Amino acid sequence: CKIERDSIDLEAVRDRLYLYGKIIGLGERGIRFVPNRREWPAAWIHPSGALELAAKDCFHDDVVSCIRWLSRTLEVRISSELVDDEEPNPFRD
């Protein structure tokens, strides 16, 4: 996945996500977010805007829900081949 933004403020990302799971700092490589919702995948958010999901043993619908939630919570567009949105989201196309 890719966060569609020129730059990523990792401190702002931390501030928006810390109530919803565990945040692990990875220094200059970004942060790892482990959601409180066990059915959702862990996410690595890189300063470049790359978003990696550890989707092993996850259902497709849960991964899509997680991507949509991240998009809304971070107020950014997230492009992904996994998400073929039918529901409106101001941060997606």
Side-chain angles (χ1 to χ4, degrees):
C1 302
K2 176 77 174 148
I3 296 173
E4 296 180 5
R5 183 168 260 176
D6 291 338
S7 64
I8 303 299
D9 180 355
L10 293 177
E11 288 301 317
V13 169
R14 287 176 201 253
D15 290 346
R16 291 178 183 263
L17 295 181
Y18 82 96
L19 290 175
Y20 306 104
K22 186 176 181 181
I23 303 286
I24 301 166
L26 302 173
E28 293 179 7
R29 296 180 298 154
I31 62 172
R32 179 177 180 208
F33 171 64
V34 181
N36 289 336
R37 295 185 66 172
R38 294 187 183 264
E39 69 272 18
W40 283 3
W44 285 263
I45 303 168
H46 302 277
S48 66
L51 174 65
E52 296 179 63
L53 301 172
K56 183 179 180 184
D57 298 329
C58 293
F59 290 105
H60 179 265
D61 290 348
D62 291 332
V63 175
V64 170
S65 293
C66 180
I67 293 170
R68 287 180 178 151
W69 179 85
L70 283 168
S71 178
R72 286 189 304 272
T73 302
L74 298 177
E75 297 182 353
V76 295
R77 288 184 182 183
I78 297 176
S79 60
S80 171
E81 294 177 7
L82 296 172
V83 180
D84 182 19
D85 266 341
E86 294 178 7
E87 66 181 55
N89 181 338
F91 303 106
R92 294 202 41 85
D93 294 330

